[in-house]
């Protein structure tokens, strides 16, 4: 008999839901205003994109592999992110246009979950960097590529979808003005599936997508009670936990579903020969 994995690996992470939140405005105008102030008129020279097997997240350290441990590999974590695009600004040579942190200590690549936010970033770039007015453009890059990027001395900041921040805060039943730390993701035990002897635990970037999926699997998950079956966390925390988790811990079952897709459609696409 096949040993059953944990029904929900997210529950084992006590810090999965942050209570110390960053103050991010729910309104688009406020977020763009904050981004504009963050730019501070200080845009360093573009940097070229380079692909290499190492995660770019400044706050996430890669656990050291030893002969006695079998942690999830970077390749495995990256594959769970395949298919989901974020947007950034590059020049004609496909080099990142970077921004400086408020202290000017380091350069940061801005990755937007909404193309319209990247377009607003592009407008600021064109306003502040004359030489990029005709060259700068919005480009998509998939999260698995982002994860495997290695650009020395460069950190990445995600700009989440404000609609999903609002959805996450409503599910957590907290004041929207308190903000949310990180990129919100949504998960439910009712959507864990098995295919070809492999277990999949879908993680969604949009509350609307997981609600649509839940409405298909159970009558009990429909209507006002639907939100009771949804758990909220942050992408950054999930990735961090995956990196330090061992194989057969349940965390290897996670798979991130691109916005607008069903888990069955995405799983079929990544498993077909």
């Amino acid at each position: 008999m096949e040993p059953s994995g944990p029904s929900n690996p997210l529950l084992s992470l006590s810090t999965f839901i942050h209570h110390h939140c960053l103050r991010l405005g729910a309104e688009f105008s406020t977020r763009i205003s904050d981004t504009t102030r963050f730019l501070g008129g200080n845009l360093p020279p573009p940097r070229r994109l380079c692909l290499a097997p190492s995660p770019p997240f400044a706050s996430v350290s890669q656990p050291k592999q030893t002969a006695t441990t079998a942690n999830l590999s970077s390749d495995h974590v990256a594959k769970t992110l395949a298919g989901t695009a974020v947007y950034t600004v590059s020049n004609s040579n496909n080099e990142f246009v970077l921004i400086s942190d408020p202290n000017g200590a380091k350069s940061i690549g801005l990755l937007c979950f909404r193309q319209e936010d990247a377009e607003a970033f592009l407008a600021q770039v064109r306003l502040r960097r004359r030489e990029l007015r005709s060259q700068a453009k919005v480009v998509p890059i998939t999260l698995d590529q982002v994860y495997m990027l290695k650009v020395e001395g460069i950190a990445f900041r995600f700009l989440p979808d404000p609609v999903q921040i609002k959805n996450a805060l409503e599910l957590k039943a907290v004041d929207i003005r308190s903000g949310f730390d990180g990129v919100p993701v949504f998960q439910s035990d009712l959507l864990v599936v098995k295919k070809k002897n492999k277990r999949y635990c879908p993680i969604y970037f949009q509350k609307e997508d997981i609600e649509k999926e839940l409405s298909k699997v159970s009558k009990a998950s429909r209507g006002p009670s639907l939100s009771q079956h949804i758990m909220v966390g942050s992408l950054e925390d999930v990735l961090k936990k995956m990196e330090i988790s061992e194989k057969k811990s349940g965390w290897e079952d996670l798979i991130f579903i691109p916005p607008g897709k069903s888990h069955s459609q995405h799983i079929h696409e990544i498993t077909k020969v």
Side-chain angles (χ1 to χ4, degrees), residues 30-75:
T30 302
R31 296 171 73 248
I32 295 304
S33 176
D34 290 343
T35 301
T36 302
R37 289 196 299 271
F38 182 73
L39 294 177
N42 186 13
L43 291 169
R47 296 286 185 88
R48 186 175 299 277
L49 292 173
C50 300
L51 290 175
S54 180
F57 302 103
S59 61
V60 177
S61 59
Q62 180 82 2
K64 294 183 178 180
Q65 300 276 347
T66 67
T68 58
T69 62
N71 292 343
L72 300 182
S73 68
S74 295
D75 286 340

Side-chain angles (χ1 to χ4, degrees), residues 14-202:
S14 61
T15 59
F16 181 64
I17 298 176
H18 276 266
H19 295 289
H20 302 289
C21 300
L22 298 177
R23 291 189 174 276
L24 298 175
E27 297 297 329
F28 175 75
S29 59
T30 302
R31 296 171 73 248
I32 295 304
S33 176
D34 290 343
T35 301
T36 302
R37 289 196 299 271
F38 182 73
L39 294 177
N42 186 13
L43 291 169
R47 296 286 185 88
R48 186 175 299 277
L49 292 173
C50 300
L51 290 175
S54 180
F57 302 103
S59 61
V60 177
S61 59
Q62 180 82 2
K64 294 183 178 180
Q65 300 276 347
T66 67
T68 58
T69 62
N71 292 343
L72 300 182
S73 68
S74 295
D75 286 340
H76 177 93
V77 177
K79 287 178 181 178
T80 67
L81 293 162
T84 298
V86 289
Y87 302 90
T88 189
V89 174
S90 75
N91 63 14
S92 58
N93 294 323
N94 287 328
E95 297 168 332
F96 268 135
V97 173
L98 305 175
I99 58 180
S100 294
D101 68 5
N103 299 322
K106 60 183 177 181
S107 299
I108 297 174
L110 188 65
L111 302 173
C112 305
F113 273 78
R114 298 196 311 180
Q115 185 171 353
E116 60 202 81
D117 289 346
E119 295 287 352
F121 177 33
L122 173 62
Q124 292 298 320
V125 169
R126 287 174 171 170
L127 179 65
R128 298 172 183 276
R129 290 286 296 274
R130 292 183 178 181
E131 70 274 19
L132 292 176
R133 285 182 179 176
S134 61
Q135 298 180 3
K137 59 185 177 181
V138 171
V139 294
I141 180 171
T142 57
L143 283 180
D144 57 316
Q145 290 176 309
V146 172
Y147 187 82
M148 298 300 287
L149 277 175
K150 182 179 181 181
V151 187
E152 187 175 352
I154 300 176
F156 291 85
R157 170 169 290 187
F158 286 120
L159 191 61
D161 183 341
V163 174
Q164 301 312 319
I165 290 178
K166 180 175 180 292
N167 288 337
L169 292 172
E170 288 177 347
L171 285 172
K172 290 172 62 178
V174 298
D175 190 339
I176 291 179
R177 292 174 297 179
S178 67
F180 187 88
D181 187 7
V183 176
V185 290
F186 308 89
Q187 187 260 339
S188 175
D189 283 344
L190 296 179
L191 297 177
V192 175
V193 296
K194 276 191 176 182
K195 185 175 182 179
K196 296 182 179 180
N197 297 321
K198 179 172 174 55
R199 187 173 177 271
Y200 295 94
C201 180

